[in-house]
Amino acid sequence: MGLVGVQENGNGEMGLSGISLGSKNKYKRMDSEFTEDDYEVSHNHHHQQEKSNSTIKFVYACAIFASLNNVLLGYDVGVMSGAIIFIQEDLKITEIQEEVLVGCLSIISLFGSLAGGRTSDVIGRKWTMALAAIVFQSGAAVMTLASSFQILMIGRLLAGLGIGFGVMIAPVYIAEISPTTSRGFLTSFPEVFINLGILLGYVSNYAFSGLPVHISWRIMLAVGILPSVFIGFALFIIPESPRWLVMQNRVEEARSVLLKTNENETEVEERLAEIQLAAGTSNGEKYEEKAVWRELLTPSPKVRRMLVTGFGIQCFQQMTGIDALVYYSPEIFKEVGIEDNSKLLAATIAVGVTKTIFILVAMFLIDRLGRKPLLFMSTIGMTICLFSLGLTLSLLGKGQVGIGLAILSVCGNVAFFSVGMGPICWVLTSEIFPLRLRAQAAALGAVGNRVCSGLVAMSFLSVSRAITVAGTFFIFSAISALSVAFVYAFVPETKGKSLEQIELLFQNEHGLKGGEEELGDVEHLVQKE
């Protein structure tokens, strides 16, 4: 047989026994069939690869366009740190008015965030983003044309409301549209765009600082209108959230969106089934008036644990003083001896560049290392840098060494903030709540964030006058140390879980520590279900 086999593999037409082994055509045909199969597999693989690439591009485009409103928030924060110098000189405002003007944006934006949760449940996530852009544009235009402190405050009021809408809806929308494996990466886009906005604000300050005082700050504020123009174009590209569509009983539309944002149909059907289950397929169940707010105000133990985690992480993000560093970095650098306005604004650009670089680092680590390890690294690093800044300001005073260490400490703090606490705060808030509560609970978290931001921004100058700038940063350092303990006790690891699976992490308090065993148990529970 072996010999015949050898002859079969050769080119002869007769075997050793003289029996015809069949024509070559048979083998040609077999070869031909093999080639066609091989081609089909290759073609299918190529087609799958093309679909995967187009899916990824589409989801990225949605995440980018949804995050454009966050450029407005970042730009406003960054530009106001420099513009306030010229506003003070032009409109002759007092220090108290300066604090109110800077800090009130955060307080006002909480009303936008509160309204945004309910609005996004009624008109949809997509059109809430459109509303945010329109309201902000109106506010920026009024501020640009303001001739007095009072008119400036009216513009600030509108801008704050717009920012409040935008800052809570973008992470919710992105979390609801993203595939599970890249949700952390994509949901950190809004924080990336806030940092990009801050950097643009700092650059704008520096670029227009040479103009006459009464023109410079107006142009600085007017430039902030530009990003919101692109949001109008975005509305023609991005779809509505599939989870919101399911809540409206528009299941086929939701399936259509999921087909664009997931690579295979099996996964689409699994996701759709999970969403329908989470939404409560009977709308009677969803809308029976145990209203959402009543459930948030009198929560079950599971929802209470979610609220503690979501609300707590949002408050700690701001109570550690990031807005004080961003808004008042020129004041901090003045303390160590930088006097010239151009040099002050140039030093703030270093802060903006650092923030932007490290938020990009966080994007690539968040779905690899996980949320919790990055939060630990972030909060511990921030604690050290804030304490170092306090020591530098209290012991070294003015001089080259003090300037160097102060810039290093400020940049170190924003780097650690951007690699963890900055983006993960929004990622967690948008993914830990069940679908029926998500928008309004995320709004509640955003309120906590904005209140703490406003309190820090509006009190920083007064507190630093009372206990020195160094003393203020020692307090921030102590709060940052507390945030390390909070992360350990209350934040679970959510990497790699679908939004519907994450709910199970809060079923009991032991799951909050987020160990691998608890995550394994959750996987088994999900499989059983």
Side-chain angles (χ1 to χ4, degrees), residues 24 42 70 144 206 250 278 284 316 392 410 432 441 461 485 514:
K24 295 179 191 174
S42 172
N70 294 65
T144 301
Y206 185 72
R250 292 155 64 178
F316 271 115
T392 300
V410 170
I432 62 175
L461 291 177

Side-chain angles (χ1 to χ4, degrees), residues 325 332 335-336 382-397 402 405-410 413 460 467-478:
L325 279 175
I332 294 162
E335 286 287 312
V336 289
M382 285 163 60
T383 304
I384 293 167
C385 289
L386 288 165
F387 189 76
S388 165
L389 182 58
L391 282 178
T392 300
L393 293 170
S394 60
L395 299 180
L396 294 176
L405 282 174
I407 292 174
L408 187 64
S409 297
V410 170
N413 184 70
F460 178 77
I467 63 169
T468 73
V469 177
T472 308
F473 281 102
F474 284 133
I475 290 174
F476 287 144
S477 175

